[in-house]
Amino acid sequence: MESKNAQIRLIANNKKAYHDYFIIEKYECGIELFGTEIKSIRMGRVSIKEAYVDIEGGEAYIDGMNISPYEKGNLFNRDPLRRKKLLLHKNEIRKLAAAVQQDGYTIVPLEVYLKKGRAKVEIGLAKGKHVYDKREDIRKRDLRRETERDYKDVMKV
């Protein structure tokens, strides 16, 4: 029996989302793709840095997700920045739509990974950070690094 982590392979990560937003809730969803797009994702040629999730007509879509054209795909390749449908349950979509109506909330993609051979996107309901929140996070991270460095020095002696 394989472990859970052996079945998941991380393809793309959106570190900037954690810097710019407080992540309130996370959701795993499938993504509707064409053949050459999944081949390109398996090669790791995807970017979600400028991507965002939009809910329209009871459906969730991801915009700005760049899947580079598959080099052997020729005429079967699609537009790299085309709008892709996310596969979520209706109650999850309704819950996200209601949350986005509130001021300051948005939905951002956090990770793209392969789970049992299928492409999945982890999205997060997020609230924007202010500049002082970002400074506080940087201060905490620097303090943690210093303590780890001091701890390593103590362990060497």
Short mmCIF file of all heavy atoms in Angstrom, two decimals, residues 75-123:
data_model
loop_
_atom_site.label_atom_id
_atom_site.label_comp_id
_atom_site.label_asym_id
_atom_site.label_seq_id
_atom_site.Cartn_x
_atom_site.Cartn_y
_atom_site.Cartn_z
N LEU A 75 -1.47 21.53 -34.08
CA LEU A 75 -2.78 22.15 -34.22
C LEU A 75 -3.74 21.82 -33.08
O LEU A 75 -4.77 22.46 -32.94
CB LEU A 75 -3.43 21.78 -35.57
CG LEU A 75 -3.94 20.35 -35.69
CD1 LEU A 75 -5.36 20.42 -36.26
CD2 LEU A 75 -3.05 19.54 -36.59
N PHE A 76 -3.41 20.85 -32.24
CA PHE A 76 -4.29 20.49 -31.12
C PHE A 76 -4.07 21.39 -29.90
O PHE A 76 -4.83 21.32 -28.94
CB PHE A 76 -4.09 19.03 -30.73
CG PHE A 76 -4.48 18.08 -31.82
CD1 PHE A 76 -3.50 17.41 -32.54
CD2 PHE A 76 -5.81 17.89 -32.16
CE1 PHE A 76 -3.86 16.54 -33.56
CE2 PHE A 76 -6.17 17.03 -33.18
CZ PHE A 76 -5.19 16.35 -33.89
N ASN A 77 -3.03 22.21 -29.92
CA ASN A 77 -2.77 23.10 -28.79
C ASN A 77 -3.85 24.15 -28.67
O ASN A 77 -4.37 24.66 -29.67
CB ASN A 77 -1.40 23.79 -28.94
CG ASN A 77 -0.26 22.89 -28.54
OD1 ASN A 77 -0.41 22.04 -27.67
ND2 ASN A 77 0.88 23.08 -29.17
N ARG A 78 -4.19 24.48 -27.44
CA ARG A 78 -5.18 25.52 -27.15
C ARG A 78 -4.48 26.79 -26.73
O ARG A 78 -3.27 26.80 -26.48
CB ARG A 78 -6.11 25.06 -26.02
CG ARG A 78 -6.83 23.77 -26.28
CD ARG A 78 -7.93 23.98 -27.30
NE ARG A 78 -8.52 22.71 -27.67
CZ ARG A 78 -9.81 22.54 -27.87
NH1 ARG A 78 -10.64 23.54 -27.76
NH2 ARG A 78 -10.27 21.36 -28.20
N ASP A 79 -5.24 27.87 -26.59
CA ASP A 79 -4.70 29.13 -26.09
C ASP A 79 -4.16 28.91 -24.68
O ASP A 79 -4.88 28.41 -23.81
CB ASP A 79 -5.82 30.19 -26.08
CG ASP A 79 -5.36 31.52 -25.53
OD1 ASP A 79 -4.15 31.82 -25.61
OD2 ASP A 79 -6.22 32.26 -25.00
N PRO A 80 -2.90 29.26 -24.42
CA PRO A 80 -2.30 29.02 -23.10
C PRO A 80 -3.02 29.73 -21.95
O PRO A 80 -3.02 29.25 -20.82
CB PRO A 80 -0.88 29.56 -23.22
CG PRO A 80 -0.62 29.70 -24.66
CD PRO A 80 -1.94 29.84 -25.34
N LEU A 81 -3.67 30.85 -22.21
CA LEU A 81 -4.33 31.62 -21.16
C LEU A 81 -5.85 31.48 -21.18
O LEU A 81 -6.54 32.29 -20.57
CB LEU A 81 -3.94 33.10 -21.27
CG LEU A 81 -2.48 33.41 -20.99
CD1 LEU A 81 -2.17 34.87 -21.31
CD2 LEU A 81 -2.12 33.09 -19.55
N ARG A 82 -6.34 30.47 -21.88
CA ARG A 82 -7.80 30.33 -21.98
C ARG A 82 -8.42 30.10 -20.60
O ARG A 82 -7.77 29.63 -19.67
CB ARG A 82 -8.18 29.21 -22.94
CG ARG A 82 -8.08 27.83 -22.36
CD ARG A 82 -8.61 26.76 -23.31
NE ARG A 82 -8.50 25.46 -22.68
CZ ARG A 82 -9.40 24.94 -21.85
NH1 ARG A 82 -10.49 25.60 -21.58
NH2 ARG A 82 -9.21 23.75 -21.32
N ARG A 83 -9.67 30.43 -20.49
CA ARG A 83 -10.43 30.27 -19.24
C ARG A 83 -10.76 28.79 -19.05
O ARG A 83 -11.32 28.16 -19.94
CB ARG A 83 -11.71 31.09 -19.38
CG ARG A 83 -12.49 31.24 -18.15
CD ARG A 83 -13.60 32.23 -18.42
NE ARG A 83 -13.88 32.91 -17.19
CZ ARG A 83 -15.03 33.46 -16.90
NH1 ARG A 83 -15.99 33.45 -17.80
NH2 ARG A 83 -15.22 34.04 -15.76
N LYS A 84 -10.39 28.24 -17.88
CA LYS A 84 -10.59 26.82 -17.62
C LYS A 84 -11.63 26.63 -16.52
O LYS A 84 -11.61 27.33 -15.52
CB LYS A 84 -9.26 26.18 -17.22
CG LYS A 84 -8.25 26.22 -18.33
CD LYS A 84 -6.84 26.20 -17.78
CE LYS A 84 -5.84 26.55 -18.82
NZ LYS A 84 -5.75 27.96 -19.12
N LYS A 85 -12.49 25.67 -16.71
CA LYS A 85 -13.56 25.40 -15.75
C LYS A 85 -13.01 24.56 -14.59
O LYS A 85 -12.28 23.59 -14.81
CB LYS A 85 -14.70 24.65 -16.44
CG LYS A 85 -15.90 24.39 -15.59
CD LYS A 85 -16.97 23.73 -16.42
CE LYS A 85 -18.13 23.30 -15.58
NZ LYS A 85 -19.15 22.62 -16.39
N LEU A 86 -13.37 24.94 -13.37
CA LEU A 86 -13.00 24.18 -12.19
C LEU A 86 -14.16 23.26 -11.81
O LEU A 86 -15.32 23.63 -11.90
CB LEU A 86 -12.66 25.11 -11.03
CG LEU A 86 -11.44 25.99 -11.23
CD1 LEU A 86 -11.25 26.90 -10.03
CD2 LEU A 86 -10.20 25.16 -11.46
N LEU A 87 -13.83 22.08 -11.35
CA LEU A 87 -14.83 21.08 -11.01
C LEU A 87 -15.02 21.05 -9.50
O LEU A 87 -14.20 20.50 -8.77
CB LEU A 87 -14.40 19.71 -11.54
CG LEU A 87 -14.04 19.69 -13.03
CD1 LEU A 87 -13.48 18.34 -13.44
CD2 LEU A 87 -15.24 20.04 -13.88
N LEU A 88 -16.09 21.68 -9.04
CA LEU A 88 -16.44 21.76 -7.63
C LEU A 88 -17.89 21.34 -7.45
O LEU A 88 -18.68 21.39 -8.40
CB LEU A 88 -16.30 23.20 -7.12
CG LEU A 88 -14.90 23.74 -6.88
CD1 LEU A 88 -14.94 25.25 -6.81
CD2 LEU A 88 -14.33 23.17 -5.61
N HIS A 89 -18.25 20.97 -6.23
CA HIS A 89 -19.65 20.68 -5.93
C HIS A 89 -20.45 21.98 -5.90
O HIS A 89 -19.92 23.05 -5.59
CB HIS A 89 -19.77 19.97 -4.57
CG HIS A 89 -19.18 18.60 -4.58
ND1 HIS A 89 -19.82 17.52 -5.13
CD2 HIS A 89 -18.00 18.14 -4.10
CE1 HIS A 89 -19.07 16.46 -5.00
NE2 HIS A 89 -17.95 16.79 -4.37
N LYS A 90 -21.74 21.89 -6.22
CA LYS A 90 -22.60 23.08 -6.26
C LYS A 90 -22.63 23.81 -4.92
O LYS A 90 -22.58 25.04 -4.89
CB LYS A 90 -24.04 22.70 -6.65
CG LYS A 90 -24.21 22.37 -8.09
CD LYS A 90 -24.18 23.61 -8.92
CE LYS A 90 -24.44 23.27 -10.37
NZ LYS A 90 -24.11 24.37 -11.26
N ASN A 91 -22.68 23.06 -3.81
CA ASN A 91 -22.75 23.72 -2.51
C ASN A 91 -21.44 24.46 -2.20
O ASN A 91 -21.45 25.51 -1.56
CB ASN A 91 -23.11 22.75 -1.39
CG ASN A 91 -22.15 21.61 -1.24
OD1 ASN A 91 -21.30 21.39 -2.10
ND2 ASN A 91 -22.27 20.86 -0.16
N GLU A 92 -20.30 23.93 -2.67
CA GLU A 92 -19.03 24.63 -2.48
C GLU A 92 -18.99 25.91 -3.31
O GLU A 92 -18.53 26.96 -2.83
CB GLU A 92 -17.86 23.73 -2.88
CG GLU A 92 -17.64 22.56 -1.95
CD GLU A 92 -16.55 21.62 -2.42
OE1 GLU A 92 -16.34 21.50 -3.64
OE2 GLU A 92 -15.92 20.99 -1.56
N ILE A 93 -19.50 25.84 -4.53
CA ILE A 93 -19.54 27.03 -5.39
C ILE A 93 -20.44 28.10 -4.78
O ILE A 93 -20.08 29.28 -4.74
CB ILE A 93 -20.00 26.67 -6.82
CG1 ILE A 93 -18.94 25.80 -7.50
CG2 ILE A 93 -20.25 27.93 -7.64
CD1 ILE A 93 -19.36 25.24 -8.84
N ARG A 94 -21.61 27.70 -4.27
CA ARG A 94 -22.52 28.67 -3.62
C ARG A 94 -21.87 29.30 -2.39
O ARG A 94 -21.98 30.51 -2.18
CB ARG A 94 -23.82 27.98 -3.23
CG ARG A 94 -24.81 27.84 -4.37
CD ARG A 94 -26.19 27.49 -3.85
NE ARG A 94 -26.25 26.13 -3.34
CZ ARG A 94 -26.63 25.07 -4.06
NH1 ARG A 94 -27.00 25.23 -5.31
NH2 ARG A 94 -26.65 23.87 -3.53
N LYS A 95 -21.18 28.51 -1.60
CA LYS A 95 -20.51 29.01 -0.41
C LYS A 95 -19.42 30.03 -0.78
O LYS A 95 -19.31 31.09 -0.16
CB LYS A 95 -19.91 27.85 0.37
CG LYS A 95 -19.35 28.21 1.71
CD LYS A 95 -18.87 26.96 2.44
CE LYS A 95 -18.27 27.32 3.78
NZ LYS A 95 -17.74 26.14 4.47
N LEU A 96 -18.63 29.70 -1.81
CA LEU A 96 -17.57 30.61 -2.26
C LEU A 96 -18.17 31.89 -2.85
O LEU A 96 -17.66 32.98 -2.60
CB LEU A 96 -16.68 29.92 -3.29
CG LEU A 96 -15.73 28.86 -2.75
CD1 LEU A 96 -15.09 28.09 -3.90
CD2 LEU A 96 -14.65 29.50 -1.90
N ALA A 97 -19.23 31.75 -3.62
CA ALA A 97 -19.87 32.93 -4.23
C ALA A 97 -20.40 33.87 -3.15
O ALA A 97 -20.26 35.10 -3.26
CB ALA A 97 -21.00 32.50 -5.16
N ALA A 98 -21.00 33.32 -2.10
CA ALA A 98 -21.51 34.15 -1.01
C ALA A 98 -20.37 34.85 -0.27
O ALA A 98 -20.48 36.02 0.11
CB ALA A 98 -22.31 33.31 -0.04
N ALA A 99 -19.25 34.15 -0.09
CA ALA A 99 -18.10 34.74 0.61
C ALA A 99 -17.46 35.86 -0.21
O ALA A 99 -17.03 36.87 0.35
CB ALA A 99 -17.07 33.66 0.93
N VAL A 100 -17.40 35.69 -1.53
CA VAL A 100 -16.77 36.70 -2.38
C VAL A 100 -17.60 37.99 -2.43
O VAL A 100 -17.06 39.06 -2.66
CB VAL A 100 -16.52 36.13 -3.80
CG1 VAL A 100 -16.10 37.19 -4.77
CG2 VAL A 100 -15.46 35.04 -3.73
N GLN A 101 -18.91 37.86 -2.18
CA GLN A 101 -19.77 39.06 -2.16
C GLN A 101 -19.37 39.99 -1.02
O GLN A 101 -19.60 41.20 -1.10
CB GLN A 101 -21.24 38.67 -2.03
CG GLN A 101 -21.79 37.88 -3.19
CD GLN A 101 -21.74 38.65 -4.50
OE1 GLN A 101 -21.92 39.85 -4.52
NE2 GLN A 101 -21.50 37.93 -5.59
N GLN A 102 -18.78 39.44 0.05
CA GLN A 102 -18.32 40.26 1.16
C GLN A 102 -17.11 41.07 0.72
O GLN A 102 -16.32 40.63 -0.11
CB GLN A 102 -17.95 39.39 2.36
CG GLN A 102 -19.11 38.62 2.92
CD GLN A 102 -18.67 37.73 4.07
OE1 GLN A 102 -17.62 37.93 4.65
NE2 GLN A 102 -19.50 36.74 4.39
N ASP A 103 -16.95 42.22 1.32
CA ASP A 103 -15.87 43.13 0.94
C ASP A 103 -14.50 42.57 1.35
O ASP A 103 -14.32 42.12 2.47
CB ASP A 103 -16.09 44.49 1.61
CG ASP A 103 -15.25 45.57 0.96
OD1 ASP A 103 -15.00 45.47 -0.26
OD2 ASP A 103 -14.84 46.50 1.67
N GLY A 104 -13.55 42.57 0.43
CA GLY A 104 -12.19 42.19 0.74
C GLY A 104 -11.86 40.72 0.53
O GLY A 104 -10.71 40.32 0.71
N TYR A 105 -12.83 39.90 0.16
CA TYR A 105 -12.57 38.47 -0.04
C TYR A 105 -12.40 38.17 -1.52
O TYR A 105 -13.03 38.78 -2.37
CB TYR A 105 -13.71 37.62 0.52
CG TYR A 105 -13.70 37.53 2.02
CD1 TYR A 105 -14.42 38.42 2.79
CD2 TYR A 105 -12.96 36.55 2.67
CE1 TYR A 105 -14.41 38.36 4.17
CE2 TYR A 105 -12.94 36.47 4.05
CZ TYR A 105 -13.66 37.37 4.79
OH TYR A 105 -13.64 37.30 6.16
N THR A 106 -11.52 37.23 -1.81
CA THR A 106 -11.29 36.78 -3.17
C THR A 106 -10.92 35.30 -3.14
O THR A 106 -10.71 34.73 -2.08
CB THR A 106 -10.18 37.61 -3.85
OG1 THR A 106 -10.11 37.25 -5.22
CG2 THR A 106 -8.84 37.41 -3.19
N ILE A 107 -10.83 34.69 -4.32
CA ILE A 107 -10.44 33.29 -4.41
C ILE A 107 -9.18 33.22 -5.26
O ILE A 107 -9.15 33.72 -6.38
CB ILE A 107 -11.55 32.44 -5.06
CG1 ILE A 107 -12.89 32.66 -4.35
CG2 ILE A 107 -11.18 30.97 -5.04
CD1 ILE A 107 -14.07 32.10 -5.09
N VAL A 108 -8.13 32.63 -4.70
CA VAL A 108 -6.85 32.54 -5.40
C VAL A 108 -6.41 31.08 -5.50
O VAL A 108 -6.64 30.30 -4.59
CB VAL A 108 -5.75 33.37 -4.70
CG1 VAL A 108 -6.04 34.85 -4.80
CG2 VAL A 108 -5.58 32.96 -3.26
N PRO A 109 -5.76 30.71 -6.61
CA PRO A 109 -5.19 29.36 -6.71
C PRO A 109 -3.90 29.29 -5.90
O PRO A 109 -3.08 30.22 -5.94
CB PRO A 109 -4.93 29.19 -8.20
CG PRO A 109 -4.82 30.56 -8.74
CD PRO A 109 -5.64 31.45 -7.87
N LEU A 110 -3.72 28.21 -5.15
CA LEU A 110 -2.55 28.06 -4.30
C LEU A 110 -1.55 27.05 -4.86
O LEU A 110 -0.34 27.29 -4.82
CB LEU A 110 -2.99 27.62 -2.89
CG LEU A 110 -3.98 28.53 -2.20
CD1 LEU A 110 -4.47 27.90 -0.90
CD2 LEU A 110 -3.36 29.89 -1.94
N GLU A 111 -2.04 25.94 -5.38
CA GLU A 111 -1.15 24.89 -5.91
C GLU A 111 -1.81 24.18 -7.08
O GLU A 111 -3.03 24.11 -7.16
CB GLU A 111 -0.88 23.82 -4.84
CG GLU A 111 -0.08 24.26 -3.67
CD GLU A 111 0.14 23.14 -2.66
OE1 GLU A 111 -0.55 22.09 -2.74
OE2 GLU A 111 0.99 23.31 -1.79
N VAL A 112 -0.97 23.65 -7.96
CA VAL A 112 -1.41 22.73 -9.00
C VAL A 112 -0.59 21.46 -8.79
O VAL A 112 0.63 21.53 -8.64
CB VAL A 112 -1.16 23.29 -10.42
CG1 VAL A 112 -1.50 22.26 -11.48
CG2 VAL A 112 -1.93 24.56 -10.64
N TYR A 113 -1.26 20.33 -8.72
CA TYR A 113 -0.55 19.08 -8.50
C TYR A 113 -1.27 17.94 -9.19
O TYR A 113 -2.42 18.07 -9.61
CB TYR A 113 -0.40 18.79 -6.99
CG TYR A 113 -1.68 18.84 -6.20
CD1 TYR A 113 -2.44 17.69 -6.01
CD2 TYR A 113 -2.13 20.02 -5.64
CE1 TYR A 113 -3.60 17.72 -5.29
CE2 TYR A 113 -3.30 20.08 -4.91
CZ TYR A 113 -4.03 18.91 -4.74
OH TYR A 113 -5.20 18.95 -4.02
N LEU A 114 -0.57 16.83 -9.33
CA LEU A 114 -1.15 15.61 -9.89
C LEU A 114 -1.45 14.66 -8.74
O LEU A 114 -0.58 14.38 -7.92
CB LEU A 114 -0.18 14.95 -10.87
CG LEU A 114 0.10 15.72 -12.15
CD1 LEU A 114 1.18 15.03 -12.96
CD2 LEU A 114 -1.15 15.86 -12.98
N LYS A 115 -2.68 14.19 -8.69
CA LYS A 115 -3.10 13.25 -7.66
C LYS A 115 -3.67 12.03 -8.36
O LYS A 115 -4.69 12.14 -9.05
CB LYS A 115 -4.15 13.90 -6.76
CG LYS A 115 -4.60 13.05 -5.60
CD LYS A 115 -5.56 13.84 -4.73
CE LYS A 115 -5.99 13.03 -3.54
NZ LYS A 115 -6.93 13.82 -2.70
N LYS A 116 -3.00 10.91 -8.23
CA LYS A 116 -3.38 9.67 -8.90
C LYS A 116 -3.52 9.89 -10.41
O LYS A 116 -4.45 9.41 -11.05
CB LYS A 116 -4.67 9.11 -8.33
CG LYS A 116 -4.57 8.71 -6.87
CD LYS A 116 -5.87 8.13 -6.38
CE LYS A 116 -5.77 7.79 -4.91
NZ LYS A 116 -7.03 7.27 -4.37
N GLY A 117 -2.63 10.69 -10.98
CA GLY A 117 -2.62 10.93 -12.43
C GLY A 117 -3.57 12.01 -12.91
O GLY A 117 -3.62 12.31 -14.10
N ARG A 118 -4.32 12.61 -12.01
CA ARG A 118 -5.28 13.66 -12.40
C ARG A 118 -4.81 15.02 -11.90
O ARG A 118 -4.33 15.13 -10.78
CB ARG A 118 -6.66 13.35 -11.85
CG ARG A 118 -7.13 11.99 -12.25
CD ARG A 118 -8.61 11.91 -12.26
NE ARG A 118 -9.01 10.54 -12.55
CZ ARG A 118 -9.70 10.21 -13.60
NH1 ARG A 118 -10.08 11.11 -14.45
NH2 ARG A 118 -10.04 8.95 -13.80
N ALA A 119 -4.98 16.03 -12.74
CA ALA A 119 -4.58 17.39 -12.36
C ALA A 119 -5.58 17.97 -11.38
O ALA A 119 -6.79 17.91 -11.61
CB ALA A 119 -4.46 18.27 -13.59
N LYS A 120 -5.09 18.50 -10.29
CA LYS A 120 -5.92 19.12 -9.27
C LYS A 120 -5.38 20.52 -8.99
O LYS A 120 -4.19 20.78 -9.11
CB LYS A 120 -5.89 18.33 -7.96
CG LYS A 120 -6.35 16.90 -8.07
CD LYS A 120 -7.83 16.80 -8.24
CE LYS A 120 -8.27 15.35 -8.28
NZ LYS A 120 -9.69 15.21 -8.45
N VAL A 121 -6.30 21.41 -8.61
CA VAL A 121 -5.93 22.77 -8.22
C VAL A 121 -6.43 22.99 -6.80
O VAL A 121 -7.60 22.71 -6.51
CB VAL A 121 -6.57 23.82 -9.16
CG1 VAL A 121 -6.22 25.23 -8.72
CG2 VAL A 121 -6.12 23.59 -10.58
N GLU A 122 -5.55 23.46 -5.93
CA GLU A 122 -5.98 23.83 -4.59
C GLU A 122 -6.23 25.33 -4.61
O GLU A 122 -5.34 26.11 -4.94
CB GLU A 122 -4.91 23.49 -3.55
CG GLU A 122 -5.37 23.77 -2.14
CD GLU A 122 -4.35 23.38 -1.10
OE1 GLU A 122 -3.24 23.93 -1.15
OE2 GLU A 122 -4.67 22.53 -0.26
N ILE A 123 -7.48 25.71 -4.30
CA ILE A 123 -7.83 27.12 -4.28
C ILE A 123 -8.10 27.53 -2.83
O ILE A 123 -8.42 26.69 -1.99
CB ILE A 123 -9.05 27.44 -5.18
CG1 ILE A 123 -10.29 26.67 -4.72
CG2 ILE A 123 -8.73 27.18 -6.63
CD1 ILE A 123 -11.56 27.03 -5.47
#
